[in-house]
Amino acid sequence: MASNGATPHADYGPVLVALATMQGNVERAQKTQAHEYLEKFQKSQQAWTSTHAMLRSPDATTESKLFAATTLKGKVNYDLDQVPRESLPALRQTILSLVALYRTGPRPIRIQLCVCLAILAIQMTEWKDVIQTVVAEVGTDAEGGTCLLEFLRVLPEEATTGRKTLLTDEELDLRIKELLSDNAANVLQLLTQYAQSSSQASTDPRLLECITSWLREIPVDDVVTSPLLTIIIDALSASNGFEAAVDCLCAIFKDTREVDAYLSTIQVLLPRIVAMQPKIAQIMTDEDLDTFKGLTRLFAEAGEAWVVLIARMPQQFRPLVECVLECAARDRDREAVSLTFNFWYEMKMYLVLEKYIEARMQFADVFSRLDDIMLKHLEYPKPEDDDESDLFDGDRELEEKFREFRHAMGDVLKDCCEVIGVTECLSKSFRLIQQWVTRYGAQATNTHVPNWQELEAPLFSLRAMGRTVGKEENIILPQIMPLLVQVPEHEKVRFAAIMALGRYTEWTAEHPDFLEPQLNFIINAFSHPSKEVVRAAALSLRYFCQDCRHLLRDHAIQLQKFYDSVLDGLPQASQEEVTEGVACIVSGQPSDKLYDIFKLYCDPLLKRLMAKANAAQDEKGKLAVADHLQLLTVFISMVTPYVEPSAENPAVKYCQEIFPVLGTIVDNFLDFSPICERICRCWREMVLSYRTATKPMLPALADKLVSCFAASKQGCFLWTTDAIVREFSEGAEFVDRNTSDAIYHFCEQQIISMLRALNNVPPEDLPDVIEDFFRLLIDTLLYYPAKLVPSPLFPPILSAALTALTLQQVPPLTATLHFLRDALGYGGDNPPQSSLTGPDDKAATPDDLPAIRQAVQKLMLAEGELLTQRVLTGMMFTFPKDCFPDASGVLLGLVELVQVQITPWIARTVQMVPAGTVSQAELQKLLGQIEQRIRDGEIRKVRYLIQDFCNSYRRRNVAPRDGLGRLEAARFRFSG
């Protein structure tokens, strides 16, 4: 350990130079070099002495001292094993002296040192009098009190947040008890003494933050019955302590959610909280928005915590509900009202229960007023200069925030509907519409709509409440619907009315008398100059076609003419929405008419598609082809008639007609992935929609997929292959043995093409293709294990999987790991086999599973060590966190298969990591625990041992210090 004297400047001179380089205006290469040097320095043995020297040097800058404190924290956290156990008391004393040295600041350095000391206290289990030692070192004067508060604040956070130490779970739990639980009473006394020491101390935000942190350990009853409660509440009146006091009280509220256990505590808190209601009006008068938001949060979180008591004791808790309601009502700028939304939802969830019907009746007036408040907040702002072209003064972020906020308020309106009833809520919106018509309706023209905000808001509310309104509502909606199709010519008003109509299409389907005027209103909107209105019309038309298809089925020909006339003028998203709508009409046609109507709608699309394909010369033109292909796919995915297996499917008949066109297009655009992906999606939808009815198409489709993948190496062709494998697998209904065998042969061709591709191209150039490849293999293994596992392709497939594990993207890694887990599963007693049955009621997977099991075990004995290396080093170095469960699952499967060999494989793998990153003692501890778990038959616990080891390694060594070295994967080779 460093002595109290400063180390010579040369000890850390290069560090200062590197820090200056990082902060200076130099070339990027120099900064990169400096960054790499500092990373190595932070992990080095030298950092122990250099950081102490820098922190004690009078010449070092504040920035360099902060770096030193941060580095020291990391050393204590991750590299404590570099310090002999007998030297820990000296390290502790050194850090204590540094904390005392910086007790007056700068604060960032002091905080880092306090965290450093807290981490050491957690890991140095022989240190029993932690808090007493720190108090003695920093003192109890003003500066010492501040320093002590910061140490006390970070101690619970470091002890209970995540796993950052090498302590076992049992050791960590015991240490937390020693540090926190056993010291709770002592800390409460210390905090009370400090709070009462001076008026400044009582409003010190650090005191309040410390109380909040220790609420995890100090019983909340003890805090509430102590003088600290008054100090916390009084701090709400102090500007410097307000925010911290709000946080502290909200933490207390959360701790009292178990209301039956804390009823007496809540009864103490409630009157103190509602006594602050008069502050609401005063704060808004002073226009102190930050304080208003804090107070709103305070009331709302108290309500959320005690909501069950509000339902049980409505009279006693009504004042708290009134506080939340007043905050919502007074929030003119809509900055704080969203803090109340979750409270209203939680309250509604209780009030709708039959058990709390009395409370529901008592709070009906509250939710009625809440509905009025939300309706007012829904209004768009009124511009001061009457310029309605920009309601938010060019602030697009504010405009988007307001749009999202309105939808959240719409959820509150739904809550009101459930509490006070749909009829009353609809009546409120209806009255507002009527009021606007009475006051301003006569003044509205095509160019000017006075106070349109007061009309648009209730229209929006109708749309928001639509989900809660039943089809049987016959009181208000019959009065509202005629008004909606007569709204004045204003963009936002028209948009709101069209969207509202689209939300009530299920109601309209039950009230057909209203369909014609609504549909005419929607269709006329397609010629509106506003793009937003046209988009709304497209979306609403989709809902009309979906929900009223039985009413529109006989109008398919007229709708086709309209569809054909408007399609080209719509944006792509709207084209798809309208197409989804008219496809619903086509799908509702009787079988004898389906082919003709299907052809009527799709032939014009096909004609446009060929014209776009012939004209496509640049990327924009090619993307237009891809977009148009999606419209055909929409029809295929939605027009799915039921046809007897022995009969010809009219939709498949049409798909066979268009297949040559799609094949020609894909041949011409094999180098443009968006077109290939859209055509593959179209083919895949054919298989998924019509299933085994597509059997007549299979030969041509399989040949095209094989040739296209061999030529382009695009994963979409494997994706479509996978769909065919699933639908025509061995044992599937209506699939004969010859067809199933042909499908496997087709799949085998795709596998060989992919293995050849991996032979010539590094995996990092094919991440998406690798993902599709292994997802195909997962299904092939599931449905054809008896063919795939004994196949000579299986060893190179495993080799390809090992190569794929060098990637760092989540999707291909996940697919590869899933395949490996399934493959290992076939080596055990519970393979992930298909439950499908064959034509003779025999399992599609073979009865002689032992042969498959033996083949997998033999392969794992040969390749298991390499698999262990790749997975374990991936978990230690390169795998994203999302891949850890599957990666450890692979190792678990391997342990279950080769229990004897796995320990030496893991040992040899860990010994290959960069020197000094894993101690021999740590390795022996891991191996001993693994062997013990295997002997005890607790094999599944090996998975968690490996996960904890790898997590610990990654925390201590964020990146390989000198590269992976010998652990770099060998290049994939395939000679098939």
Side-chain angles (χ1 to χ4, degrees):
M1 293 302 95
S3 64
N4 288 343
T7 321
H9 188 279
D11 185 39
Y12 56 85
V15 177
L16 298 181
V17 172
L19 287 171
T21 301
M22 291 293 295
Q23 297 167 2
N25 184 20
V26 298
E27 295 292 332
R28 183 176 181 85
Q30 291 178 268
K31 288 196 173 188
T32 300
Q33 185 178 5
H35 186 272
E36 291 174 353
Y37 171 79
L38 292 174
E39 278 191 331
K40 290 182 180 180
F41 166 76
Q42 287 183 312
K43 299 168 187 174
S44 68
Q45 188 78 32
Q46 174 199 351
W48 289 107
T49 55
S50 296
T51 52
H52 292 106
M54 292 169 67
L55 286 165
R56 291 189 176 278
S57 170
D59 301 326
T61 64
T62 301
E63 291 79 8
S64 62
K65 290 180 178 180
L66 179 58
F67 171 79
T70 305
T71 299
L72 182 59
K73 178 188 71 175
K75 298 297 291 181
V76 174
N77 209 353
Y78 303 126
D79 296 332
L80 200 60
D81 59 336
Q82 295 177 352
V83 180
R85 200 76 193 178
E86 62 271 15
S87 300
L88 290 183
L91 174 63
R92 175 185 63 192
Q93 188 55 46
T94 303
I95 297 175
L96 278 168
S97 64
L98 287 172
V99 171
L101 179 65
Y102 284 93
R103 68 178 195 157
T104 58
R107 189 180 181 220
I109 298 176
R110 184 176 66 216
I111 290 176
Q112 292 297 319
L113 292 172
C114 286
V115 172
C116 181
L117 188 60
I119 296 170
L120 180 63
I122 295 166
Q123 300 196 69
M124 191 176 173
T125 53
E126 61 268 31
W127 184 12
K128 302 300 182 182
D129 56 343
V130 173
I131 293 177
Q132 293 85 344
T133 303
V134 175
V135 171
E137 187 70 30
V138 303
T140 56
D141 56 2
E143 291 83 3
T146 298
C147 189
L148 177 62
L149 285 177
E150 288 184 338
F151 172 74
L152 290 176
R153 176 180 65 83
V154 300
L155 182 61
E157 295 172 358
E158 293 300 318
T160 59
T161 304
R163 286 292 310 276
K164 297 182 179 179
T165 71
L166 293 178
L167 299 178
T168 65
D169 289 339
E170 294 78 10
E171 291 170 337
L172 184 60
D173 290 342
L174 179 61
R175 191 57 177 159
I176 288 174
K177 178 181 180 298
E178 291 176 349
L179 288 176
L180 304 183
S181 303
D182 295 349
N183 281 303
N186 185 27
V187 170
L188 179 62
Q189 184 180 1
L190 281 173
L191 296 178
T192 304
Q193 290 173 353
Y194 177 80
Q196 295 175 334
S197 64
S198 68
S199 58
Q200 291 84 3
S202 64
T203 59
D204 187 348
R206 285 179 284 264
L207 167 68
L208 300 166
E209 291 167 359
C210 194
I211 296 171
T212 303
S213 182
W214 275 84
L215 279 170
R216 311 173 193 194
E217 300 300 329
I218 301 175
V220 68
D221 291 339
D222 293 350
V223 174
V224 171
T225 56
S226 74
L228 289 179
L229 178 61
T230 299
I231 288 167
I232 296 168
I233 290 179
D234 289 346
L236 292 170
S237 302
S239 58
N240 64 323
F242 176 80
E243 186 175 347
V246 170
D247 290 338
C248 188
L249 283 170
C250 288
I252 290 174
F253 299 154
K254 286 185 174 69
D255 283 348
T256 60
R257 282 181 177 269
E258 297 293 332
V259 294
D260 292 321
Y262 292 101
L263 183 58
S264 59
T265 302
I266 294 169
Q267 289 173 334
V268 173
L269 288 168
L270 179 63
R272 305 292 296 270
I273 301 303
V274 298
M276 290 184 279
Q277 184 173 9
K279 289 187 176 183
I280 301 173
Q282 181 60 46
I283 290 170
M284 289 308 295
T285 302
D286 298 340
E287 297 186 351
D288 187 351
L289 296 181
D290 289 337
T291 303
F292 179 72
K293 288 177 70 173
L295 206 58
T296 301
R297 178 188 167 206
L298 193 71
F299 293 134
E301 294 202 19
E304 290 176 35
W306 306 333
V307 65
V308 65
L309 291 180
I310 294 173
R312 287 181 191 170
M313 298 180 281
Q315 291 183 341
Q316 185 175 346
F317 281 84
R318 186 180 178 97
L320 178 58
V321 178
E322 293 283 358
C323 290
V324 182
L325 186 68
E326 183 176 349
C327 288
R330 290 185 178 275
D331 187 17
R332 296 187 299 269
D333 296 323
R334 308 180 186 95
E335 292 289 336
V337 66
S338 61
L339 298 173
T340 71
F341 290 170
N342 192 57
F343 165 68
W344 300 120
Y345 171 77
E346 296 282 353
M347 187 176 175
K348 177 264 297 186
M349 292 297 289
Y350 281 96
L351 295 185
V352 296
L353 299 176
E354 189 67 27
K355 181 179 180 180
Y356 299 114
I357 186 65
E358 181 181 347
R360 180 177 178 180
M361 294 173 63
Q362 292 197 33
F363 285 119
D365 66 309
V366 171
F367 276 84
S368 179
R369 283 184 284 158
L370 177 63
D371 190 285
D372 295 332
I373 292 167
M374 292 298 113
L375 285 170
K376 189 63 180 174
H377 282 323
L378 282 175
E379 291 183 10
Y380 271 93
K382 295 181 180 179
E384 296 179 0
D385 55 0
D386 294 329
D387 180 13
E388 295 189 354
S389 60
D390 194 346
L391 301 174
F392 296 90
D393 298 325
D395 191 338
R396 293 291 165 259
E397 183 178 348
L398 181 61
E399 182 176 3
E400 185 60 31
K401 181 180 177 182
F402 177 70
R403 289 175 185 266
E404 295 174 1
F405 173 65
R406 296 179 97 208
H407 288 289
M409 284 192 289
D411 292 335
V412 179
L413 290 175
K414 295 186 188 77
D415 296 336
C416 295
C417 287
E418 294 189 54
V419 174
I420 63 177
V422 166
T423 299
E424 182 172 345
C425 291
L426 287 176
S427 297
K428 288 176 177 291
S429 298
F430 180 43
R431 281 196 296 271
L432 289 176
I433 295 172
Q434 285 182 312
Q435 289 174 12
W436 186 91
V437 171
T438 302
R439 294 176 186 173
Y440 308 111
Q443 305 172 34
T445 66
N446 289 338
T447 57
H448 177 67
V449 180
N451 292 303
W452 60 267
Q453 294 90 341
E454 297 177 21
L455 175 61
E456 192 274 345
L459 292 175
F460 180 90
S461 73
L462 292 175
R463 169 189 170 194
M465 294 184 291
R467 191 180 303 168
T468 62
V469 181
K471 294 182 286 187
E472 67 282 354
E473 208 291 319
N474 289 316
I475 301 173
I476 304 299
L477 286 183
Q479 301 178 67
I480 290 180
M481 290 303 176
L483 295 178
L484 293 186
V485 297
Q486 300 178 51
V487 296
E489 186 63 39
H490 185 281
E491 177 186 4
K492 285 185 166 50
V493 173
R494 280 290 174 104
F495 179 87
I498 291 168
M499 294 298 286
L501 288 172
R503 184 54 63 89
Y504 290 90
T505 49
E506 290 184 5
W507 183 89
T508 302
E510 298 295 320
H511 300 78
D513 292 345
F514 294 90
L515 175 61
E516 184 175 351
Q518 291 182 23
L519 197 58
N520 288 336
F521 183 74
I522 298 295
I523 289 175
N524 290 335
F526 279 87
S527 59
H528 198 281
S530 167
K531 294 181 180 179
E532 291 294 322
V533 172
V534 173
R535 290 193 187 101
L539 183 61
S540 291
L541 182 63
R542 184 185 73 177
Y543 293 135
F544 270 99
C545 292
Q546 286 177 350
D547 297 329
C548 303
R549 68 178 75 184
H550 62 288
L551 301 175
L552 297 173
R553 183 172 59 183
D554 295 335
H555 302 280
I557 295 177
Q558 296 95 306
L559 273 174
Q560 191 279 327
K561 294 178 181 178
F562 166 76
Y563 172 68
D564 195 49
S565 66
V566 301
L567 188 64
D568 291 335
L570 298 175
Q572 179 62 27
S574 296
Q575 286 185 3
E576 293 182 23
E577 288 165 352
V578 174
T579 301
E580 288 175 18
V582 296
C584 288
I585 306 300
V586 176
S587 67
Q589 300 299 311
S591 297
D592 58 336
K593 295 182 179 180
L594 184 68
Y595 171 79
D596 293 331
I597 299 296
F598 199 4
K599 186 176 178 65
L600 177 68
Y601 274 83
C602 291
D603 274 356
L605 293 180
L606 201 64
K607 184 178 179 180
R608 286 186 176 90
L609 179 63
M610 291 187 290
K612 290 177 182 292
N614 290 331
Q617 301 296 326
D618 54 11
E619 184 176 1
K620 182 179 179 181
K622 294 176 182 178
L623 288 173
V625 175
D627 289 340
H628 208 69
L629 279 163
Q630 181 62 20
L631 303 184
L632 273 176
T633 305
V634 168
F635 271 105
I636 291 168
S637 65
M638 301 192 71
V639 181
T640 55
Y642 174 75
V643 180
E644 290 292 336
S646 58
E648 182 183 40
N649 190 309
V652 174
K653 178 182 176 182
Y654 184 72
C655 289
Q656 287 180 279
E657 291 180 9
I658 67 173
F659 182 81
V661 177
L662 299 179
T664 301
I665 292 175
V666 77
D667 287 339
N668 292 333
F669 294 97
L670 270 180
D671 59 343
F672 193 70
S673 59
I675 290 180
C676 294
E677 289 171 2
R678 291 297 173 86
I679 287 183
C680 283
R681 181 176 296 164
C682 186
W683 287 340
R684 184 173 182 269
E685 285 297 333
M686 292 178 188
V687 175
L688 297 180
S689 295
Y690 312 125
R691 311 193 68 175
T692 53
T694 57
K695 181 180 176 181
M697 299 177 58
L698 284 184
L701 179 56
D703 288 345
K704 184 60 68 175
L705 290 171
V706 168
S707 63
C708 287
F709 179 67
S712 69
K713 302 300 183 288
Q714 295 199 37
C716 56
F717 298 105
L718 298 179
W719 182 51
T720 307
T721 301
D722 191 16
I724 296 174
V725 168
R726 286 199 301 271
E727 293 299 333
F728 292 87
S729 60
E730 196 167 60
E733 190 177 16
F734 307 122
V735 177
D736 56 68
R737 177 70 64 180
N738 290 335
T739 301
S740 176
D741 290 344
I743 293 300
Y744 177 75
H745 177 68
F746 154 56
C747 182
E748 202 173 44
Q749 289 178 279
Q750 299 288 62
I751 293 172
I752 293 172
S753 290
M754 182 61 186
L755 295 176
R756 288 172 177 163
L758 284 172
N759 202 38
N760 300 317
V761 183
E764 54 269 22
D765 292 347
L766 298 170
D768 296 336
V769 186
I770 287 174
E771 178 192 359
D772 291 320
F773 176 59
F774 280 102
R775 296 209 181 281
L776 169 62
L777 285 173
I778 289 169
D779 284 328
T780 307
L781 183 63
L782 177 65
Y783 296 117
Y784 297 98
K787 289 184 172 66
L788 183 63
V789 175
S791 164
L793 291 176
F794 202 60
I797 287 173
L798 178 62
S799 180
L802 296 176
T803 300
L805 293 179
T806 61
L807 297 172
Q808 297 184 30
Q809 297 98 321
V810 172
L813 278 175
T814 300
T816 305
L817 292 168
H818 283 181
F819 167 75
L820 288 170
R821 293 186 69 177
D822 287 352
L824 289 166
Y826 277 97
D829 296 328
N830 296 299
Q833 57 184 314
S834 170
S835 61
L836 294 175
T837 56
D840 301 322
D841 292 328
K842 295 181 180 179
T845 50
D847 293 331
D848 55 340
L849 281 173
I852 297 178
R853 186 182 307 121
Q854 185 178 2
V856 172
Q857 291 175 352
K858 181 179 178 181
L859 183 60
M860 290 306 154
L861 285 172
E863 302 292 341
E865 183 169 6
L866 187 55
L867 177 59
T868 303
Q869 287 184 11
R870 293 280 12 105
V871 176
L872 193 56
T873 54
M875 293 178 69
M876 294 170 72
F877 293 101
T878 60
F879 285 175
K881 288 293 183 182
D882 290 344
C883 295
F884 262 52
D886 288 315
S888 62
V890 170
L891 291 176
L892 174 63
L894 204 53
V895 171
E896 291 173 337
L897 289 188
V898 285
Q899 298 180 12
V900 176
Q901 293 84 355
I902 191 66
T903 305
W905 289 350
I906 291 175
R908 287 195 287 271
T909 299
V910 175
Q911 288 168 352
M912 295 166 72
V913 301
T917 58
V918 177
S919 67
Q920 192 63 29
E922 186 181 357
L923 174 58
Q924 291 306 317
K925 180 180 178 182
L926 171 67
L927 298 178
Q929 289 175 328
I930 291 174
E931 290 174 346
Q932 184 64 46
R933 294 292 185 266
I934 293 175
R935 282 196 300 269
D936 294 344
E938 298 177 324
I939 294 179
R940 290 194 170 274
K941 291 188 177 180
V942 173
R943 178 180 194 174
Y944 304 112
L945 289 173
I946 294 173
Q947 281 185 341
D948 288 346
F949 171 78
C950 293
N951 280 324
S952 173
Y953 186 89
R954 289 184 80 145
R955 282 195 297 265
R956 289 180 287 124
N957 307 275
V958 177
R961 300 182 183 182
D962 297 309
L964 290 178
R966 288 178 296 156
L967 295 178
E968 293 176 357
R971 179 68 185 274
F972 175 78
R973 289 285 180 248
F974 175 64
S975 58

